[in-house]
Amino acid sequence: FPDLSIPDATLALPVLSALTFLGMVEIGKKEMMATNPAQGIMFVNGMRGLSVLMVAFTYTFPASVFCYWMCNNTVSLVQAAAFKVPFIRSSLGIWEPPKPVPGAPP
């Protein structure tokens, strides 16, 4: 990418940015569906659709924006994946979310 002020002609950066966004959605979908599964499914599907539409809406953005988004999304993706590992959570003192009360409304 010799000139970061022009759009990426290969569309690689918009696609990779959308894929990292989709990865974040997929990693966090359990938490999104925790309180209301029906609403959570609609929200997750909406975010999946948004990740596809993101390519069409942003392909004309300068490559520098995607370089920033890719770095930010990759760090967020690695952090979210790492916090799913019980050993890492316990080592950092992060407690598990409380379990729902049986028989309580969602």
Side-chain angles (χ1 to χ4, degrees):
F1 305 108
D3 187 359
L4 293 177
S5 66
I6 60 172
D8 178 19
T10 64
L11 292 181
L13 291 176
V15 169
L16 288 173
S17 181
L19 287 175
T20 56
F21 176 76
L22 181 62
M24 285 298 298
V25 170
E26 294 301 319
I27 284 180
K29 71 181 175 184
K30 180 181 173 189
E31 288 79 14
M32 287 184 231
M33 291 194 267
T35 56
N36 187 344
Q39 188 178 21
I41 290 171
M42 287 187 342
F43 184 72
V44 168
N45 288 334
M47 290 293 120
R48 288 174 179 156
L50 183 62
S51 71
V52 173
L53 293 174
M54 183 186 297
V55 176
F57 291 147
T58 63
Y59 76 96
T60 59
F61 286 12
S64 58
V65 172
F66 291 109
C67 288
Y68 168 75
W69 282 349
M70 287 298 302
C71 292
N72 191 24
N73 288 352
T74 302
V75 168
S76 297
L77 193 61
V78 169
Q79 179 185 16
F83 285 166
K84 295 280 185 182
V85 178
F87 174 75
I88 293 175
R89 292 177 64 86
S90 64
S91 297
L92 296 173
I94 302 171
W95 59 85
E96 291 293 324
K99 304 288 183 220
V101 177

